[in-house]
Amino acid sequence: MKYRLELINKNMGEDVYLMYQDIPSEELGSTNKLKNCSLEQFYRILEEFKKEETIINPTLNTTTNRYIFYVNNEPLGELGIRTTLNEKWLNKGSQIFYKIRLSKRNQGYGTKMLELALEECKKLGMKKVRINCDDSNIASKRIIEKNGGKIDIKSYKTLVGFSSSYIINI
C-alpha cells in the first residue's frame, strides 16, 4: 500500500469532497465543517483552511497545517497539526487531530496516519507532541498508544464527557 499526506489546497478534487461526506458532522468533540455543504462551499472552506497555515485563527490562537491522508491515491481522512504552539497547546490542547471516513475505520489506517503526522511534526522541529482523546474513543486511544503515546493528564472533564491527554516523544 502507498500512503501519503498532502497539504489541503484549492485544487483538491471531488473525491476529497466525497470523503468529507463520509465523516460525521460532529462526534466526540470533533466537527466536520464540510459535511453536507455544497461543492462551492467546500472550495471556499478549503481556502479558509489553507489560510490557517500562515494566519493565526483568532478563535484557536494558532496556525494549523491540514492534510488529506491518501492510501493508494484514495482520500481516507483529514489530519491537522497545530503549528503555533503557545501555553494552551503545549500544556493541555491537542496539537494533532485526525478524522477517518466511516467506511474505512477499524482497518489500521489511523495508526499509519498518526505515524505520518509524527514525521511531519519532526520536520517542523517538534520534539514531542500532545494529543488528546475522548476516554470513550477506544480506537483512537489504541492509535495513540501504538504510536508511543503516554498519558500525561488522565480523564479531565470536557464539555462532552472526559478526555485524556497523551504525550508522544518524537
Side-chain angles (χ1 to χ4, degrees), residues 128-157:
K128 67 179 182 177
V129 296
R130 177 176 301 282
I131 185 166
N132 300 344
C133 176
D134 190 279
D135 285 351
S136 65
N137 191 341
I138 304 304
S140 192
K141 278 185 188 182
R142 279 194 216 122
I143 290 167
I144 295 166
E145 290 169 355
K146 284 180 182 177
N147 277 282
K150 305 287 185 226
I151 290 182
D152 181 52
I153 305 169
K154 186 169 179 57
S155 296
Y156 62 89
K157 180 96 174 96

Side-chain angles (χ1 to χ4, degrees), residues 9-18 39 42-43 46 70:
N9 64 71
K10 65 181 180 180
N11 298 317
M12 296 274 164
E14 211 168 315
D15 56 342
V16 173
Y17 171 80
L18 293 172
L39 204 52
F42 167 75
Y43 286 112
L46 283 187
Y70 288 89

Side-chain angles (χ1 to χ4, degrees), residues 32-131:
N32 173 8
K33 291 182 179 181
L34 298 166
K35 177 81 171 181
N36 297 323
C37 70
S38 69
L39 204 52
E40 181 180 304
Q41 290 170 314
F42 167 75
Y43 286 112
R44 188 175 39 77
I45 294 169
L46 283 187
E47 286 286 330
E48 291 172 20
F49 287 168
K50 188 70 180 166
K51 287 177 186 172
E52 286 185 0
E53 289 177 21
T54 56
I55 300 171
I56 290 179
N57 175 319
T59 306
L60 300 172
N61 195 26
T62 187
T63 50
T64 303
N65 288 356
R66 290 177 192 253
Y67 304 82
I68 299 301
F69 172 66
Y70 288 89
V71 177
N72 298 328
N73 293 319
E74 179 185 2
L76 299 190
E78 178 194 59
L79 165 75
I81 300 173
R82 311 266 186 229
T83 54
T84 301
L85 303 178
N86 52 40
E87 289 298 311
K88 174 184 177 177
W89 302 110
L90 292 171
N91 297 317
K92 191 173 183 188
S94 192
Q95 294 169 269
I96 295 176
F97 61 87
Y98 49 87
K99 304 167 185 158
I100 296 177
R101 60 191 315 163
L102 285 172
S103 61
K104 298 296 182 174
R105 291 184 182 178
N106 299 309
Q107 298 178 43
Y109 295 124
T111 300
K112 187 64 179 179
M113 185 173 8
L114 183 53
E115 179 185 318
L116 294 175
L118 296 172
E119 289 174 15
E120 289 298 314
C121 288
K122 192 173 186 175
K123 289 178 193 173
L124 293 167
M126 297 178 191
K127 304 276 188 249
K128 67 179 182 177
V129 296
R130 177 176 301 282
I131 185 166

